[in-house]
Amino acid sequence: MARIVVKFGGTSMANIERIRNSARHVKREIEAGNEVAVVVSAMSGKTNELVGWVNEASPLHDAREYDAIVASGEQVTAGLMAIVLSEMGIQSRSYSGWQVPIYTDDSHGAARITDIDPTELNERMSNGWVPVITGFQGISTKNNRVTTLGRGGSDTSAVAVAAAVGADRCDIYTDVDGVYTTDPRIVPKAQRMTKISFEEMLEMASLGAKVLMIRSVEMAMAHKVRLTVRSSFDDPDAPQIAPDGTPGVPGTLVCDEEEIMEKQIVSGVTLAKAEAKITLRAVKDSPGVAAAIFGTLADKGIIVDMIVQNISDDGATTDITFTVPDSEYDKAVKALENNGGRFEYARLSGSKGGAKVSVVGVGMRSHAGVASSMFKALADKGINIQLITTSEIKTSVLIDEEYAELAVRALHTYYGLDKKDA
Ligand code: ASP
Ligand code: MG
């Protein structure tokens, strides 16, 4: 017997038929003798509709009322799921965040979970009940009001509930059947991974693989909650086979590095397009200058990604290059040009339309030569590298957007990630 928290995303809850199909996955786990708690998203599109209504009522609204309104989508699906499960003969009831309770801080619209009292959930589950909990919401201990966790937050709710009830696993049911080595729309030979470590998943998520909300992966890593990403569109009654062909969960397991026997040097290749590059030439090489430059951008809420500063040639000045999203380029240039005397530079140049291509893998820590082999693979295709950044388990390059897909395909093949039979 295992204790499992299952989470259904918006497409898995989109209508009554989809809810019934999702409920059959729960039924299968219950019949296999497991204890199950369910966390649900709102029906797909619902939260957008609610946000739209709030903004139509008043663009400048009270964030506490925003939360009261947008949290309602999950209340509907939690109730519906409980009804459908009951109809299938499974004892079930719904819980809103405050009823669990899931406590948060009072950052309305982007609240953080501070604590979950598992007493009620534990009792229900050990008596064979299936509690169905609203994702995305909680209650603030500061003002006693409903809060929401930020868009996509129900993944985080599910992981937090799993940690609180000491679940063996948290199954995230979505509309894709797992995490892939790269975007299958770019590389048809992309493979579904059997396992990926939390750290790799974090890198992949922040580099653009949109399967899981980043915060949920951070939380899973901190509390060592094993996650699986799987599709609710699979036949609920089909035999449960893991991607490697052995009996198990038919999705990708996101787990601690320790659980992964064979550590890949490169496990995945990611792509982020629409990256703009900005260079400041002859910036004074003295303490506080970088802080002033990036402080100016931070004050405008501009998120900077790759940052490269070279050592000074003349001992007096240096060049700094960094990237921002294309959509922030004009705003960034304006902020730098009108910096109110916070810093000086000789020239500003830049361009939009870059692509950041990255290779990710925990095996990189113990293997030399990943960067050089990556550069070689790109050179073989005649692709010029504009910027390079690295972390312990990732190497990223900025290239011209025109070559983005070619680069991803070349690296995917180079690191042996292509599906054998495709
Ligand atoms: N319904 C919320 C949203 O659309 C939360 C979620 O689906 O994770 O952002
Ligand atoms: Mg979602």
Side-chain angles (χ1 to χ4, degrees):
M1 188 198 81
R3 177 171 272 199
I4 310 168
V5 171
V6 309
K7 184 253 165 176
F8 295 106
T11 47
S12 307
M13 300 298 289
N15 53 47
I16 305 298
E17 195 196 325
R18 298 273 351 128
I19 295 176
R20 272 209 186 97
N21 192 71
S22 296
R24 286 170 58 209
H25 284 284
V26 176
K27 186 163 188 250
R28 183 196 60 241
E29 297 297 352
I30 291 286
E31 283 171 353
N34 299 315
E35 290 180 356
V36 183
V38 180
V39 174
V40 293
S41 282
M43 290 180 176
S44 55
K46 194 63 192 175
T47 311
N48 287 343
E49 184 184 42
L50 295 168
V51 171
W53 287 344
V54 173
N55 288 324
E56 197 184 324
S58 169
L60 288 173
H61 46 257
D62 185 330
R64 291 164 297 193
E65 300 306 348
Y66 167 97
D67 276 352
I69 296 156
V70 301
S72 67
E74 273 72 11
Q75 233 164 282
V76 173
T77 45
L80 289 170
M81 177 56 98
I83 290 176
V84 168
L85 284 169
S86 305
E87 195 201 40
M88 289 179 175
I90 296 166
Q91 289 179 296
S92 180
R93 67 151 279 191
S94 67
Y95 290 84
S96 288
W98 65 271
Q99 291 172 315
V100 173
I102 297 175
Y103 296 115
T104 73
D105 62 16
D106 62 352
S107 312
H108 285 276
R112 293 204 158 245
I113 297 175
T114 49
D115 193 23
I116 296 181
D117 182 347
T119 318
E120 168 73 14
L121 300 180
N122 282 337
E123 198 177 305
R124 288 283 174 179
M125 277 192 281
S126 37
N127 289 323
W129 279 67
V130 174
V132 183
I133 304 139
T134 51
F136 184 51
Q137 57 160 279
I139 182 165
S140 162
T141 42
K142 297 218 177 102
N143 59 13
N144 207 31
R145 299 195 61 168
V146 172
T147 52
T148 64
L149 310 181
R151 298 305 304 273
S154 50
D155 289 341
T156 304
S157 307
V159 174
V161 168
V165 303
D168 300 290
R169 219 170 66 216
C170 179
D171 292 346
I172 309 275
Y173 284 85
T174 175
D175 48 10
V176 293
D177 62 0
V179 183
Y180 280 74
T181 48
T182 195
D183 186 341
R185 285 165 306 183
I186 299 174
V187 183
K189 288 181 183 171
Q191 296 188 63
R192 184 158 47 123
M193 299 179 193
T194 304
K195 289 182 183 176
I196 179 174
S197 71
F198 292 124
E199 269 190 76
E200 288 168 318
M201 191 64 230
L202 263 185
E203 290 285 4
M204 303 270 293
S206 56
L207 293 170
K210 292 184 200 72
V211 238
L212 292 170
M213 194 207 199
I214 293 177
R215 256 170 67 202
S216 70
V217 185
E218 283 167 359
M219 189 180 285
M221 181 155 108
H223 297 275
K224 291 207 190 305
V225 175
R226 302 164 80 238
L227 298 176
T228 67
V229 176
R230 55 176 299 175
S231 172
S232 74
F233 289 73
D234 287 349
D235 175 5
D237 302 319
Q240 300 292 290
I241 307 288
D244 65 0
T246 60
V249 182
T252 300
L253 176 68
V254 188
C255 59
D256 200 83
E257 215 177 300
E258 302 291 301
E259 255 193 82
I260 301 175
M261 299 296 282
E262 205 180 324
K263 296 191 179 41
Q264 302 270 24
I265 299 175
V266 170
S267 328
V269 183
T270 64
L271 168 63
K273 283 191 178 180
E275 300 268 332
K277 173 181 70 171
I278 297 176
T279 301
L280 296 176
R281 303 242 180 230
V283 177
K284 207 157 133 220
D285 188 20
S286 60
V289 174
I293 294 171
F294 295 105
T296 300
L297 296 168
D299 290 348
K300 297 278 178 211
I302 298 169
I303 295 176
V304 175
D305 184 15
M306 307 170 91
I307 300 180
V308 178
Q309 180 191 316
N310 213 327
I311 53 162
S312 176
D313 192 27
D314 55 6
T317 62
T318 180
D319 299 338
I320 293 184
T321 303
F322 54 88
T323 61
V324 297
D326 272 358
S327 56
E328 301 275 53
Y329 178 77
D330 296 334
K331 195 167 142 195
V333 169
K334 211 158 123 203
L336 295 165
E337 284 173 349
N338 309 313
N339 65 53
R342 286 171 84 176
F343 54 90
E344 284 170 12
Y345 57 87
R347 252 176 313 126
L348 183 156
S349 59
S351 57
K352 295 191 203 178
K356 184 172 71 166
V357 177
S358 312
V359 296
V360 176
V362 283
M364 250 180 241
R365 272 200 210 108
S366 47
H367 278 84
V370 176
S372 66
S373 65
M374 180 186 191
F375 305 155
K376 169 97 174 47
L378 294 171
D380 287 347
K381 299 284 174 195
I383 299 170
N384 187 40
I385 300 169
Q386 302 173 4
L387 287 182
I388 301 166
T389 57
T390 62
S391 80
E392 218 186 353
I393 65 161
K394 174 190 80 177
T395 306
S396 303
V397 297
L398 187 78
I399 60 172
D400 197 322
E401 216 170 36
E402 199 182 328
Y403 301 110
E405 279 83 8
L406 175 64
V408 171
R409 273 195 297 269
L411 294 169
H412 198 266
T413 305
Y414 186 88
Y415 288 109
L417 299 174
D418 288 354
K419 211 188 308 182
K420 301 289 173 292
D421 52 6

